[in-house]
Amino acid sequence: MKLRKVTAASAVVVALSLAVTACGSDKKDDSSSSGGGKIKVGIKYDQPGLGLQKPDGSFSGFDVDVATYIAGKLGYKPDQIEFVQTKSADRENALARGDVKFIAATYSINDERKKKVDFAGPYLLAHQDLLVKKDSDISKGTDLNGKNLCSVVGSTSAQNIHKTIAPKSNLKELGGYSECIAALQSGAVDAVTTDDSILAGFAAQDKYKGQFKLAGLKLSNENYGVGVKKGDTATLDKINKALESMVSDGSWKKAVDKNFGPANYKNEPAPKTGQIVK
Ligand code: GLU
């Protein structure tokens, strides 16, 4: 009698865990297969011209258009895309955890990151630059030593400052570039440093018009790749094909004009798959 009770109880436990497993795998299918499900894609939320969440909750920018095009080729309509904010320092972990299927977020390809994630692309070549107040006399990297500077934690921009560009500057590392821009406007820092593509987008915002200038320095080569989970070669191959057709069918150029035109950002030509500019 007693034994039977125990057996019944364990049957319930087994049934429950089966149900939980079934739910878990359903969820997984949702983000990895095409059809009725959704796909989760990592972008930035605070970078005008690249990845921006607008006040009405919708998204705009070059990375958003690249992500939407790729998702389309993977079989997902725009309303099946669930954008997820992936800040600079969170990108590798978001992919490793499977929070997102891929990331298009001004994500530079480099050897350190390649140990943790795989990259499709590159799909854009940008360069590290400085944004300063209009009347600033900072015009080159060496002017930064001893100055207050802002960049973002987990970015190549911050790393390059420490390693080569201005190791003697006082670098503040904040969570996102919008926070650095606020610090520049208030006078808390003398310059913001990151990719010229990002800085141009901020400088062109109505609220900042006429306040800032770009130094116009090419302090590094930033080859933007689309990050995927390490070892997910099936997705990687599909994304490379999608990027190639985005260039050949004219959508890449259209997205460039639409998103960088207003910022007057002079982009480099479309890179070829696997061609990294060192
Ligand atoms: N492209 C650089 C990077 O991947 C800087 C921009 C960013 O933080 O996203 O770190």
Side-chain angles (χ1 to χ4, degrees), residues 103-161:
I103 290 180
T106 60
Y107 199 6
S108 298
I109 302 171
N110 69 17
D111 289 343
E112 206 182 318
R113 289 172 178 169
K114 276 204 291 198
K115 289 181 198 151
K116 298 180 187 158
V117 303
D118 286 335
F119 286 102
Y123 63 94
L124 191 78
L125 174 63
H127 306 280
Q128 186 164 352
D129 200 355
L130 307 174
L131 189 73
V132 294
K133 283 222 171 127
K134 200 106 211 179
D135 56 5
S136 168
D137 49 16
I138 295 173
S139 64
K140 50 188 191 301
T142 45
D143 292 343
L144 295 170
N145 286 317
K147 290 276 190 331
N148 294 321
L149 190 59
C150 190
S151 199
V152 162
V153 61
S155 68
T156 53
S157 324
Q159 245 177 31
N160 294 339
I161 290 294

Side-chain angles (χ1 to χ4, degrees), residues 44 88 91 105-106 108 113 155-157 177 194-195 198 224:
K44 295 291 186 74
S88 297
R91 293 174 291 201
T106 60
S108 298
R113 289 172 178 169
S155 68
T156 53
S157 324
Y177 295 103
T194 187
D195 307 338
I198 299 172
Y224 289 0

Side-chain angles (χ1 to χ4, degrees), residues 31-213:
S31 70
S32 59
S33 72
S34 50
K38 289 229 171 205
I39 186 165
K40 289 190 179 167
V41 179
I43 56 163
K44 295 291 186 74
Y45 275 25
D46 71 336
Q47 296 178 190
L50 284 149
L52 185 73
Q53 186 175 41
K54 294 189 275 185
D56 68 359
S58 65
F59 299 93
S60 72
F62 183 67
D63 279 338
V64 172
D65 290 349
V66 168
T68 305
Y69 188 97
I70 292 170
K73 292 288 182 191
L74 297 179
Y76 297 88
K77 298 192 190 76
D79 65 359
Q80 291 176 291
I81 302 170
E82 194 182 312
F83 286 115
V84 175
Q85 176 167 230
T86 45
K87 293 185 168 188
S88 297
D90 299 338
R91 293 174 291 201
E92 288 83 25
N93 286 336
L95 286 171
R97 281 193 304 258
D99 294 354
V100 291
K101 191 72 180 166
F102 67 86
I103 290 180
T106 60
Y107 199 6
S108 298
I109 302 171
N110 69 17
D111 289 343
E112 206 182 318
R113 289 172 178 169
K114 276 204 291 198
K115 289 181 198 151
K116 298 180 187 158
V117 303
D118 286 335
F119 286 102
Y123 63 94
L124 191 78
L125 174 63
H127 306 280
Q128 186 164 352
D129 200 355
L130 307 174
L131 189 73
V132 294
K133 283 222 171 127
K134 200 106 211 179
D135 56 5
S136 168
D137 49 16
I138 295 173
S139 64
K140 50 188 191 301
T142 45
D143 292 343
L144 295 170
N145 286 317
K147 290 276 190 331
N148 294 321
L149 190 59
C150 190
S151 199
V152 162
V153 61
S155 68
T156 53
S157 324
Q159 245 177 31
N160 294 339
I161 290 294
H162 286 307
K163 279 192 195 154
T164 51
I165 300 170
K168 291 190 186 121
S169 65
N170 171 26
L171 181 67
K172 255 195 222 327
E173 293 180 52
L174 302 181
Y177 295 103
S178 52
E179 295 160 49
C180 281
I181 300 293
L184 178 63
Q185 196 180 26
S186 76
V189 297
D190 304 302
V192 176
T193 185
T194 187
D195 307 338
D196 46 11
S197 49
I198 299 172
L199 297 173
F202 278 109
Q205 294 290 286
D206 275 344
K207 57 180 172 182
Y208 300 129
K209 273 226 166 99
Q211 295 186 40
F212 305 136
K213 63 181 178 192

